[in-house]
Amino acid sequence: MSGEIDCCWLAWFAGFVDGEGSVNISGSTQQVGFCVCNMHRPTIEEIQAHLGGRLSVKSTGRQRPIYYLYWKVHEAVEVLKMIEPFLVTKKRQAQLIISYPFLACGKHPVPPEVRARRREIVDEIRVLKQSPTWRQKRTWSQASNSLS
């Protein structure tokens, strides 16, 4: 990641994540991460120049390729911390990832209370992904009134 990142740029990126991002925790491996994707490679490269991440390309046959930029585990948490104040649609998902209890247990089993909290977070993110977004629940006038 590059040094100090402009607040306006982070707000723009948060909007991009709200529209083109995906916040995930794998249920089986408990792998934490998030990604953004777009068909416009220069946009993805601009984001990568500011925030790092791993770039992958998926060819879709007849369409232009889709460019994915993803962050895993602690990189994901650091990026989400930077943009969380600006997120709208994915704000709660980001908060859950940020609060995820990472624990290096080595050969020791994960304590039951940590395992239970992890399961709660995975379940809540699953529900959030299935529920309508705030745009479907609120009108734009309601949203703008809450900003003033």
Side-chain angles (χ1 to χ4, degrees):
M1 280 185 257
S2 60
E4 188 72 21
I5 300 173
D6 178 65
C7 183
C8 291
W9 190 91
L10 289 173
W12 169 83
F13 180 59
F16 191 87
V17 169
D18 272 337
E20 304 291 339
S22 177
V23 179
N24 296 298
I25 299 178
S26 166
S28 58
T29 63
Q30 304 284 298
Q31 178 78 9
V32 172
F34 89 100
C35 74
V36 292
C37 65
N38 201 278
M39 292 177 144
H40 190 246
R41 185 178 186 131
T43 299
I44 296 299
E45 289 174 341
E46 167 77 12
I47 295 166
Q48 187 178 35
H50 281 82
L51 299 171
R54 290 168 188 84
L55 178 66
S56 68
V57 182
K58 186 180 280 187
S59 294
T60 58
R62 290 187 266 161
Q63 294 182 339
R64 296 181 307 183
I66 301 173
Y67 300 94
Y68 291 86
L69 187 60
Y70 62 94
W71 299 264
K72 289 185 178 179
V73 195
H74 299 291
E75 283 181 336
V77 170
E78 290 308 309
V79 173
L80 289 170
K81 281 180 182 177
M82 287 191 271
I83 64 171
E84 185 270 336
F86 307 108
L87 289 169
V88 177
T89 305
K90 294 189 172 70
K91 186 179 211 59
R92 181 64 185 148
Q93 292 175 38
Q95 291 168 339
L96 289 166
I97 294 291
I98 291 166
S99 71
Y100 190 80
F102 294 98
L103 190 61
C105 297
K107 295 181 181 180
H108 304 289
V110 176
E113 63 275 6
V114 171
R115 206 172 351 176
R117 180 62 188 136
R118 287 177 175 178
R119 174 55 43 206
E120 289 170 3
I121 290 172
V122 169
D123 290 345
E124 187 171 347
I125 286 179
R126 185 174 293 124
V127 168
L128 288 168
K129 286 176 173 276
Q130 293 171 352
S131 68
T133 64
W134 73 278
R135 289 175 296 216
Q136 293 166 320
K137 295 179 191 175
R138 299 167 60 185
T139 66
W140 280 109
S141 61
Q142 290 171 320
S144 63
N145 288 340
S146 68
L147 296 174
S148 29

